[in-house]
Amino acid sequence: MLDDKSPLSASEIGMLWLTYMEKTMILRITEYFLEKADDKEARNLLGICWQEVSFYTELMKNLFEQQGIAVPIGFTKQDVNLDAPKLYDNGFDIMLLRVFKEMSMGLYTISMNMAYHVDVMTIFEGLNVVTLKIYKLATLYLLRKGILTLPPKVTMPKTTEFIKSKEYLEGLNPFSQKRSFNDIELGILHHGIESNNVGLQLMTGFAQCALDREVKQYCVKGMELAKKQIQTFEEMLIKANVHFSATSGSTVTTSTVSPFSDKLMMHCTTFLNGFAIVGMSFGTFFSLRRDLIMQSTLIAKDVFFYGEEGINIMIKKGWFEEPPQMEDRTQIITNNQ
């Protein structure tokens, strides 16, 4: 067993670095929403999130210092403007918080699988417990407020069946009869609509207040990409005669004063792009209707290229902090000749 003085492995340093970047970003966003929250319950939930994230961010910082690792810059007070007017209304703060917690669940699972040092495992274990708690509280809050809607209702299964034909997988032929969606596929479609509704509102606000022209154009592209995904999934449900209730979503105000730096907004978009690609991969793997698999694959491709464009913008602007990197042995050998 590794003791607390053992050096961290490359995977542990990498995942801690990635988590630190995400957490400092979430802290800045949460600070703004805390400043603007006019609902007591929402403010309490945001406060719990800030306290917990701040605690674990400090643990990660201390571990970096103990190990002699340069502490990432991440996102600081300079990346948030607490005096900016309200940019979002109608529960968007908790909607976005819920998406962040959903994204974090996957990150901590991967991180835990790559951890061997007891201190690293303790950090990710604690973050996972906190994330599950906040996600549950956020979901219940949004349901009570009528902001979040439930997935479609279906008839309860009374028997168990086995798939009898490979025709179960069909769905690409426009002239053939498609089978109804199974419950897993309905869940994937609903989740796609729900998460892209949040993404659409987020990108709309970012586009309104971005200072850099290239960032503004990029956020507008993000709006169009979110609309495309929502329309694709809604059309599939309508064609399948599935009745669904669109979430009431949130309201983007008319403010054009940015609460966040362009750097933070671009990084936030990049994190969500990665989360979207993982979600599309899940949909592709667990769907058994080929038309849904094809649409998920096409959307994942669009998100991938959109994300790559965003990374190129950040590199060009000097906003992309470089992750810790292994030694370039070839360069060391060459320099020693």
Side-chain angles (χ1 to χ4, degrees):
M1 179 178 174
L2 299 176
D3 59 36
D4 56 4
K5 295 181 181 178
S6 301
L8 301 183
S9 66
S11 62
E12 291 164 334
I13 295 171
M15 296 312 293
L16 282 170
W17 182 91
L18 188 63
T19 304
Y20 188 89
M21 295 294 289
E22 185 215 18
K23 293 305 150 202
T24 54
M25 179 190 75
I26 290 175
L27 281 173
R28 305 293 82 83
I29 294 173
T30 304
E31 285 163 1
Y32 169 74
F33 283 130
L34 262 171
E35 186 71 19
K36 303 304 169 186
D38 50 19
D39 180 275
K40 183 179 179 181
E41 192 176 353
R43 189 182 297 111
N44 289 340
L45 188 50
L46 289 164
I48 292 170
C49 177
W50 190 92
Q51 289 177 342
E52 297 284 7
V53 171
S54 181
F55 172 77
Y56 283 101
T57 301
E58 195 63 29
L59 284 185
M60 285 186 280
K61 181 181 177 182
N62 291 340
L63 187 55
F64 282 134
E65 291 173 344
Q66 289 168 15
Q67 292 272 330
I69 300 168
V71 178
I73 296 171
F75 298 92
T76 66
K77 300 292 185 181
Q78 283 68 48
D79 291 301
V80 59
N81 177 13
L82 299 181
D83 295 325
K86 207 171 190 181
L87 184 59
Y88 301 99
D89 215 336
N90 192 30
F92 182 80
D93 46 7
I94 306 301
M95 284 288 285
L96 185 60
L97 176 65
R98 182 173 178 267
V99 169
F100 282 152
K101 295 299 107 181
E102 189 175 343
M103 182 172 66
S104 295
M105 285 184 218
L107 178 61
Y108 302 148
T109 300
I110 296 171
S111 300
M112 198 67 169
N113 290 340
M114 299 171 70
Y116 303 87
H117 194 289
V118 62
D119 289 345
V120 178
M121 287 190 285
T122 300
I123 287 172
F124 287 123
E125 179 185 21
L127 278 169
N128 195 45
V129 171
V130 168
T131 295
L132 290 170
K133 178 181 74 175
I134 294 175
Y135 181 85
K136 178 182 176 181
L137 291 173
T139 301
L140 294 175
Y141 169 88
L142 293 167
L143 287 171
R144 282 197 302 274
K145 296 292 183 179
I147 299 170
L148 193 67
T149 56
L150 295 170
K153 295 288 194 302
V154 296
T155 304
M156 297 296 106
K158 303 299 183 184
T159 61
T160 57
E161 303 288 342
F162 285 87
I163 297 172
K164 298 179 176 62
S165 169
K166 64 179 183 180
E167 291 180 0
Y168 192 87
L169 306 176
E170 296 297 335
L172 292 180
N173 188 343
F175 302 105
S176 65
Q177 180 69 34
K178 296 179 178 67
R179 67 163 172 82
S180 59
F181 288 114
N182 63 41
D183 290 355
I184 298 170
E185 292 159 346
L186 279 176
I188 290 168
L189 287 167
H190 179 270
H191 181 266
I193 295 170
E194 180 182 88
S195 57
N196 277 285
N197 269 323
V198 178
L200 175 58
Q201 300 303 318
L202 183 69
M203 289 295 101
T204 302
F206 283 1
Q208 273 184 202
C209 64
L211 298 176
D212 185 277
R213 182 171 173 272
E214 203 167 1
V215 173
K216 186 180 290 289
Q217 290 174 340
Y218 184 73
C219 293
V220 171
K221 282 186 182 179
M223 291 170 57
E224 296 307 314
L225 185 56
K227 287 179 190 176
K228 179 181 177 182
Q229 294 181 61
I230 293 168
Q231 289 168 354
T232 298
F233 294 145
E234 285 185 345
E235 284 174 8
M236 294 184 79
L237 289 174
I238 291 169
K239 287 179 181 177
N241 296 312
V242 176
H243 301 285
F244 65 98
S245 299
T247 176
S248 57
S250 63
T251 304
V252 182
T253 70
T254 57
S255 174
T256 56
V257 180
S258 181
F260 312 114
S261 67
D262 286 354
K263 169 191 166 184
L264 185 147
M265 291 191 289
M266 287 297 296
H267 272 271
C268 181
T269 306
T270 298
F271 273 115
L272 293 173
N273 285 338
F275 168 65
I277 291 173
V278 172
M280 289 298 102
S281 299
F282 179 89
T284 301
F285 187 81
F286 288 100
S287 298
L288 294 174
R289 239 178 71 166
R290 286 177 181 157
D291 55 339
L292 180 52
I293 294 172
M294 183 187 73
Q295 291 295 347
S296 297
T297 303
L298 291 173
I299 289 170
K301 173 184 69 68
D302 290 342
V303 174
F304 174 82
F305 286 115
Y306 176 70
E308 186 176 52
E309 180 185 349
I311 290 172
N312 287 331
I313 291 172
M314 288 191 288
I315 291 172
K316 185 172 75 174
K317 305 287 184 184
W319 296 337
F320 204 106
E321 193 171 342
E322 184 177 327
Q325 194 163 323
M326 66 173 288
E327 303 86 351
D328 187 339
R329 293 296 176 185
T330 302
Q331 189 65 41
I332 293 172
I333 294 169
T334 301
N335 290 342
N336 196 36
Q337 287 179 352

